[in-house]
Amino acid sequence: MRSLAVAGIALVLVAFVLFLGTCGQSGNDAPPDTPTTSTSTTSTTSTSTTTTTTTLDPASLGTLPPVEGIGSPTLGSTSSVSTAGLDTVHFGMTTAEAQRAAGSRFTPVTPVGPCYLATPDDAPDGITFWIVDGTVERVDIDTDEIDTKSGGRIGRTEEWIRETWPDRIQASPLSDGTGNLLAFVPRDEPDQEFRVMFQTDGQEVVRMWSGRLPWVEELGGCPAG
């Protein structure tokens, strides 16, 4: 009887030990043939690269006074630059006269002041007028669709410009060494204060403008003040 009792107690202890082992394995341990998957939450911060472009608030530029009598647009791809201006828009015109001549309102692209830039609303892109003390003094052409009456335009070679006006071109190197400045100087005495300018990269014309001295010789934009 005693041996049976001991055997019974032994079986109970074995069963209890096996029970504890099973409970311990049912916790965080995974079966050997099951890969342990560790799930982690990664917080990804999306970094946005922002290109900062200086854009002036249109309200800060100001507007030009209303102009009556503006007819149909006159400036187009067939317009031509001269020492006098761009087609019917001549240097020395007031802003009101110039807008009537262009058949278009002008929109300032720099703050209205003693010297500012304005573009015609109803005209090809690439036309910018300089308004100095209330009159048009220069026009910048940044398109190859508009040329001079003799065909000078952006994209022409420096050699072409020199050969077309062999005795009218005054050439000077740009201070930064990136090219040359070719100035067409009129022959007539009354026109001596006007120029048509061709800026090159040493090979081809990359910019073109026309105007009256001293504004036509400015390379850095409208002088402040």
Side-chain angles (χ1 to χ4, degrees), residues 103-173:
S104 171
R105 284 276 296 169
F106 288 0
T107 296
V109 293
T110 61
V112 174
C115 181
Y116 64 95
L117 309 183
T119 59
D121 295 346
D122 299 307
D125 292 337
I127 299 173
T128 306
F129 292 104
W130 289 43
I131 314 297
V132 183
D133 294 331
T135 60
V136 176
E137 296 297 329
R138 170 171 159 169
V139 60
D140 288 11
I141 304 299
D142 295 298
T143 173
D144 60 6
E145 295 183 359
I146 296 176
D147 55 15
T148 68
K149 291 181 180 179
S150 299
R153 58 173 172 77
I154 292 176
R156 288 292 191 191
T157 64
E158 189 170 303
E159 182 182 10
W160 188 97
I161 299 296
R162 293 176 184 270
E163 290 181 350
T164 301
W165 300 285
D167 58 344
R168 297 289 89 202
I169 297 297
Q170 291 181 353
S172 58

Side-chain angles (χ1 to χ4, degrees), residues 4-195:
L4 289 176
V6 171
I9 292 172
L11 288 174
V12 170
L13 290 174
V14 170
F16 182 74
V17 170
L18 289 175
F19 175 77
L20 289 177
T22 303
C23 289
Q25 193 174 29
S26 65
N28 293 329
D29 293 341
D33 58 348
T34 303
T36 301
T37 302
S38 176
T39 303
S40 62
T41 302
T42 302
S43 176
T44 303
T45 302
S46 177
T47 302
S48 174
T49 302
T50 303
T51 302
T52 303
T53 302
T54 302
T55 304
L56 294 174
D57 182 359
S60 71
L61 301 179
T63 57
L64 301 181
V67 178
E68 296 181 357
I70 294 180
S72 300
T74 64
L75 303 179
S77 59
T78 59
S79 296
S80 61
V81 179
S82 69
T83 54
L86 179 63
D87 280 357
T88 55
V89 180
H90 297 161
F91 303 126
M93 284 184 169
T94 65
T95 52
E97 292 170 338
Q99 289 174 92
R100 292 191 189 98
S104 171
R105 284 276 296 169
F106 288 0
T107 296
V109 293
T110 61
V112 174
C115 181
Y116 64 95
L117 309 183
T119 59
D121 295 346
D122 299 307
D125 292 337
I127 299 173
T128 306
F129 292 104
W130 289 43
I131 314 297
V132 183
D133 294 331
T135 60
V136 176
E137 296 297 329
R138 170 171 159 169
V139 60
D140 288 11
I141 304 299
D142 295 298
T143 173
D144 60 6
E145 295 183 359
I146 296 176
D147 55 15
T148 68
K149 291 181 180 179
S150 299
R153 58 173 172 77
I154 292 176
R156 288 292 191 191
T157 64
E158 189 170 303
E159 182 182 10
W160 188 97
I161 299 296
R162 293 176 184 270
E163 290 181 350
T164 301
W165 300 285
D167 58 344
R168 297 289 89 202
I169 297 297
Q170 291 181 353
S172 58
L174 296 173
S175 60
D176 59 4
T178 58
N180 298 304
L181 194 61
L182 308 181
F184 173 85
V185 182
R187 180 179 287 106
D188 296 337
E189 187 64 30
D191 298 329
Q192 288 298 299
E193 63 178 333
F194 300 96
R195 301 282 188 276

Side-chain angles (χ1 to χ4, degrees), residues 196-211:
V196 177
M197 310 291 280
F198 303 94
Q199 181 178 328
T200 78
D201 59 5
Q203 299 294 327
E204 295 184 349
V205 176
V206 294
R207 293 183 61 208
M208 179 175 72
W209 64 92
S210 177

